[in-house]
Each structure stands twice: as structure tokens, then as C-alpha cells.
Amino acid sequence: MGVAGAADLAPDLHVPARGLLFDNDGVLVDSLAAVEVSWARWARAHDLEPEHVVGVIHGRRAADSVALLLEDPSLRAAAVDQIEAFEIEDSEICPAMPGVPALLAMLPAGTWAVVTSGTRALATARLRAAGIPLPEVVVTADDVEVGKPDPTGYLAAARALGVDPTQALVLEDSGSGVAAGQAAGCRVLGIGEAALDTPADLVVRDLAGARWAGDGLLLPAATVLRGPDARQPR
């Protein structure tokens, strides 16, 4: 019989929350491959270097990314429509992230929301491709004038759930998303190793084994990359 490691013996980490506010891409759905395929197609259509384009678009609304990448404002509206069409076409290759279907199945209606930098059409396509039901509250790029790191989206989602932001837990994978959640006054759970480079309050490898406790999340110790007492990056 093998000897269990320290992480296997440690108790689950309880993170109090009355509501969960999920980013979509990289948190609920694994859209990385689809995003990179779509934006590489878009970059080539505009004679831009795909690696450069892919390096600047994560965590931003498509309209904000296009504004950064195209100098001529007259080209931007059509370019946004084009990347939207590409991303919806490529959404069929988006699976659910580890642990997500099991966790969502435990959540009572009205306790969780999606806050995404994508449009409603794109978010719906990716969630459906991953087999994830849409919650009652979905805040998209169509619903806000300014995207992440502005906190408007997370504030709107907390308000729609009837939860004070200080009692909501944001789940994010990007630096701009973490900044948006914290600016809204929420505690932020970072998802994935890249979130270690953000000031997220806690970081886990993924949501595998995560469970709803009625008053927050229970996170297996083996998935925790940075606990609540760890020093955060500056």
C-alpha cells in the first residue's frame, strides 16, 4: 500500500460564498484551441502576425482587441463581425473544463452566473458545445460599455443574483478578469497555473473535485496551488 502525500491528507479548503460568478473561457469551457484557431484565421485575413494577435486578445472583449490591433477605425466594425463569425464556427471544439459539469450540477438555481468578455451568441455557442446549461444570469460583452478589467460586469451579475459583491466568489483565469473581480469587491479564485501570476486571493489547478457546501466551495487540497495565507505577487 502506498503512502498518501501531505496534500492527500490535508482537509478540503472551504471558501465562503453566497454566489459564484464564473468567467467562461478557461474557467467553464476549454476554448483555448478554438480561440487561437479563430484569431489566427482573423490575423491572416488582416495581414497581421498570428502569434502577436493571439498574445494580446485573452481576457478582452473582441471589440477591445480589434481596436488595439487595427489602426483604421473604419475597418473595425466589420473586423469585429468577422472574428465573431470565426469564433462561433470554431466553438464546436470547446469541451468543459475539468470538474465543471459535476460542480454545476450541485448548484441551486440562482446561486451562479456567467460573466464573459465574449458576446451572448458566442458564450451560448461555447457553453452548449461543452454541454453546460446557461444559468439565469449571463452578463456578456453585449451588456457592458467597458470590458474587463472594469468591474461593471461582475457588479451587474452580483446585483442580479441579489448577492453583495463581498459575499460573491469570482472564478477567473486571466489577469484582467482577476482585476475586474477584485475591483468589484469580490474575493477571486484563480483557475490554472497562469493565475499564479495574478493577485488572485486563491489559486487552484482546476475545479476537479470541487463541491458546493451550501455556504461556499469545498476545494480538494491537492488542487490548491496558492492558499489564502500565501504571499501574492505584486
Side-chain angles (χ1 to χ4, degrees):
M1 181 180 295
V3 178
D8 298 317
L9 298 175
D12 291 343
L13 176 63
H14 178 253
V15 185
R18 287 190 54 226
L20 302 180
L21 310 181
F22 293 89
D23 176 43
N24 191 25
D25 301 296
V27 175
L28 293 178
V29 302
D30 184 357
S31 60
L32 181 60
V35 167
E36 294 187 349
V37 166
S38 298
W39 279 95
R41 291 171 64 189
W42 182 90
R44 288 190 289 271
H46 292 272
D47 296 323
L48 297 173
E49 175 55 50
E51 289 187 4
H52 169 69
V53 170
V54 169
V56 303
I57 51 91
H58 292 290
R60 289 190 173 97
R61 298 185 305 169
D64 296 332
S65 295
V66 168
L68 285 174
L69 293 163
L70 295 184
E71 293 184 4
D72 186 346
S74 68
L75 301 176
R76 292 173 184 169
V80 170
D81 290 342
Q82 183 183 47
I83 186 57
E84 171 87 353
F86 286 167
E87 290 196 295
I88 290 175
E89 287 175 12
D90 295 328
S91 64
E92 62 186 25
I93 62 174
C94 296
M97 293 287 285
V100 164
L103 173 59
L104 296 183
M106 301 178 193
L107 298 178
T111 61
W112 66 288
V114 173
V115 180
T116 176
S117 296
T119 63
R120 186 166 297 272
L122 179 58
T124 299
R126 287 179 175 167
L127 288 167
R128 285 179 175 166
I132 296 173
L134 269 70
E136 296 176 8
V137 177
V138 180
V139 180
T140 73
D142 302 322
D143 304 312
V144 298
E145 293 185 5
V146 184
K148 302 172 185 177
D150 187 272
T152 301
Y154 281 117
L155 289 170
R159 184 166 57 250
L161 292 181
V163 175
D164 188 282
T166 61
Q167 296 181 306
L169 179 67
V170 164
L171 295 89
E172 268 284 0
D173 69 316
S174 71
S176 60
V178 169
Q182 291 182 333
C186 305
R187 199 173 192 188
V188 179
L189 174 64
I191 307 296
E193 292 188 6
L196 289 170
D197 295 326
T198 75
D201 300 281
L202 313 156
V203 179
V204 292
R205 182 171 292 105
D206 53 40
L207 292 171
R211 306 187 307 285
W212 178 245
D215 61 351
L217 279 185
L218 289 173
L219 302 171
T223 69
V224 177
L225 300 178
R226 184 170 72 222
D229 298 324
R231 186 181 181 85
Q232 298 178 3
R234 294 184 181 276

